[in-house]
Amino acid sequence: MSIRDLIEGKKAWRAHMARVEALPQDYQIVYKELQKYLFKVGPVELTEMTDLLAGIVDLFEEGAAVGKGVLEVTGRDVATFCDDLIKGSKTHADVFEAVDQETGKAMKKATEKDH
């Protein structure tokens, strides 16, 4: 990744966050919680993550424009809303699960050799 890519990425992120900050307060709060959740368990691919976050802002802008409350847009179970958005994507949770399985296999193999 070049310096130019980093600068452009930073500019795009600032523009994205400016859109978030222009949302009503309740939307901002829910967006930030969604963002935290998705950074922990969301898609592994950075472009998929940024596209997803941009799509959420689009949806929130539309909801706010027609006077809907944020929970009318996401539903009361915000975690389920997030999980539905990332269905079918390779997520950090998938990576961690695969690592855990491989570690478990390696540990079992090592302990079997000792006996």
Side-chain angles (χ1 to χ4, degrees):
M1 184 175 278
S2 71
I3 296 289
R4 180 179 299 270
D5 293 337
L6 290 172
I7 292 169
E8 292 302 316
K10 194 170 188 175
K11 284 180 186 177
W13 184 253
R14 284 185 179 153
H16 172 80
M17 290 309 296
R19 290 177 62 202
V20 171
E21 291 166 8
L23 291 168
Q25 189 66 31
D26 59 336
Y27 279 88
Q28 288 181 43
I29 291 167
V30 171
Y31 173 84
K32 288 176 184 170
E33 291 304 314
L34 290 171
Q35 182 184 33
K36 280 188 232 176
Y37 181 78
L38 291 170
F39 280 164
K40 288 179 186 172
V41 300
V44 174
E45 293 295 321
L46 181 60
T47 55
E48 191 174 348
M49 175 67 84
T50 55
D51 290 348
L52 177 61
L53 292 173
I56 291 170
V57 174
D58 291 342
L59 182 65
F60 281 11
E61 288 172 337
E62 291 171 16
V66 295
K68 288 185 176 181
V70 68
L71 294 181
E72 291 179 87
V73 174
T74 63
R76 292 197 110 6
D77 190 344
V78 179
T80 299
F81 173 78
C82 280
D83 291 340
D84 288 345
L85 291 174
I86 60 175
K87 269 186 185 160
S89 298
K90 183 176 181 180
T91 65
H92 293 292
D94 297 333
V95 172
F96 293 139
E97 183 178 327
V99 168
D100 283 346
Q101 288 176 357
E102 290 302 313
T103 302
K105 288 177 188 176
M107 293 293 286
K108 185 176 180 181
K109 193 174 187 179
T111 55
E112 288 174 353
K113 286 182 182 179
D114 292 340
H115 294 296

